[in-house]
Amino acid sequence: MGEESLKMNNMMRAPSTTSPKKEMKEKDTPFHVIHKVPSGDGPYVRAKHAQLVQKDPESAIVLFWKAINAGDRVDSALKDMAVVLKQLDRAEEAIEAIKSFRFLCSKQAQESLDNVLIDLYKKCGRIDEQILLLKQKLRLIYLGEAFNGKPTKTARSHGKKFQVSIKQEISRILGNLAWAYMQKSNYISAEVIYRKAQMIDPDANKASNLCYCLIKQSRYDEARLILEDVLQGKHPGSHETKTRNRAEELLLDLETRQQPNPSIFPGLGLEDQGFVDGLDQLLNVWAPPRTRRLPIFEEITPFRDQMACQFRIC
């Protein structure tokens, strides 16, 4: 008997590494649960099967289109198709799809579609559109229309669900907005917005970004003070490996630069001073919850029209 035949026989006689209980459990578990796809036989279900089980994104896109045209779970079909298009470096196509067909989706799906659209704008380098949409999300929060009128929402990250408050969402949006201004080399605007985001809900990541923003303005002493707080663990998230590595890189960058000459703090020169003034109003009225209305909007109704115009999206 040849060597290959002996190997084959040994493999056939080898005991299974899977326990009988596990095999029985997998046998009894429905297919859609094992592969995390929805149950059923409509075009959306077939699209998810093509995406997650067959690993065939092109077929998945065709089936997502069929689901949208057939009115089958349109909210999920449009969002999932956009994500697959982005993965295939067809982000521009995904943007046009969302813009063209989001009117078919429910009101509850619009916020999720906006989040996908912001990521697509970022990938395509369409910074001005990203900024505009982020400001629009802030305006919706101001008007009390975010989170479908609730004070918190359920978010998902890496398969885990968690609650996000309005306060956390404002800070997150401001952090993204500041980073978008950084991409436009508008460091003064970015700094102002980062500082306001930290006033609402501070964390080490935004602190590091603010430090980088100050470095770009050659304000090294101020940057070092903020960086020391991160390295000393004074901000939430300071001990995360990725954040700490970045802080150490920024510290090394600081140490290789010359110390700046003392200078007067430059004028804001913001391209949208009215927007920042609006953020000041938003901060001034922040208060703990007193009723079921969203607390941030309890006392600012008289300023609604003025604020909306300052956001430049009225």
Side-chain angles (χ1 to χ4, degrees), residues 106-290:
S106 67
K107 182 179 179 181
Q108 290 74 22
Q110 299 303 318
E111 184 179 346
S112 179
L113 289 171
D114 280 342
N115 291 334
V116 175
L117 203 52
I118 287 170
D119 285 340
L120 292 169
Y121 283 146
K122 184 176 180 180
K123 183 174 179 63
C124 295
R126 293 165 63 166
I127 305 301
D128 289 335
E129 290 164 288
Q130 183 184 355
I131 288 173
L132 185 63
L133 190 49
L134 287 166
K135 288 183 178 180
Q136 181 176 321
K137 288 178 72 68
L138 286 172
R139 180 173 180 263
L140 290 176
I141 291 176
Y142 165 76
L143 295 174
E145 297 176 8
F147 291 20
N148 297 313
K150 298 178 181 179
T152 62
K153 73 172 182 179
T154 302
R156 185 187 296 270
S157 178
H158 304 293
K160 296 182 179 180
K161 293 182 178 180
F162 56 95
Q163 292 296 310
V164 177
S165 68
I166 288 286
K167 181 178 177 180
Q168 292 170 322
E169 181 71 355
I170 292 173
S171 183
R172 184 189 70 82
I173 294 172
L174 289 176
N176 289 338
L177 182 60
W179 186 252
Y181 276 119
M182 289 282 287
Q183 307 315 298
K184 291 170 65 69
S185 299
N186 189 340
Y187 302 121
I188 299 295
S189 293
E191 178 194 348
V192 171
I193 296 171
Y194 271 134
R195 289 188 185 278
K196 293 184 184 302
Q198 288 293 79
M199 290 172 65
I200 295 173
D201 188 39
D203 65 52
N205 182 57
K206 289 194 293 290
S208 297
N209 287 340
L210 175 57
C211 173
Y212 179 61
C213 184
L214 293 170
I215 290 174
K216 285 293 186 178
Q217 298 174 66
S218 300
R219 291 161 55 194
Y220 306 129
D221 288 339
E222 294 173 73
R224 185 180 293 274
L225 289 174
I226 293 172
L227 196 57
E228 286 175 355
D229 286 345
V230 176
L231 292 172
Q232 291 172 13
K234 293 183 178 180
H235 293 294
S238 295
H239 300 293
E240 293 180 5
T241 302
K242 184 177 179 179
T243 300
R244 192 158 192 87
N245 288 343
R246 182 158 185 255
E248 291 172 353
E249 289 174 2
L250 288 170
L251 181 62
L252 182 61
D253 186 20
L254 273 173
E255 291 174 347
T256 59
R257 294 172 183 265
Q258 295 179 348
Q259 291 297 317
N261 295 323
S263 60
I264 300 175
F265 186 86
L268 285 180
L270 293 166
E271 67 181 46
D272 196 352
Q273 179 65 53
F275 169 71
V276 176
D277 291 341
L279 289 180
D280 287 335
Q281 292 184 33
L282 195 105
L283 289 173
N284 290 337
V285 299
W286 184 266
R290 295 193 296 275

Side-chain angles (χ1 to χ4, degrees), residues 50 208 304 307:
S208 297
R304 179 169 298 179
M307 186 77 165

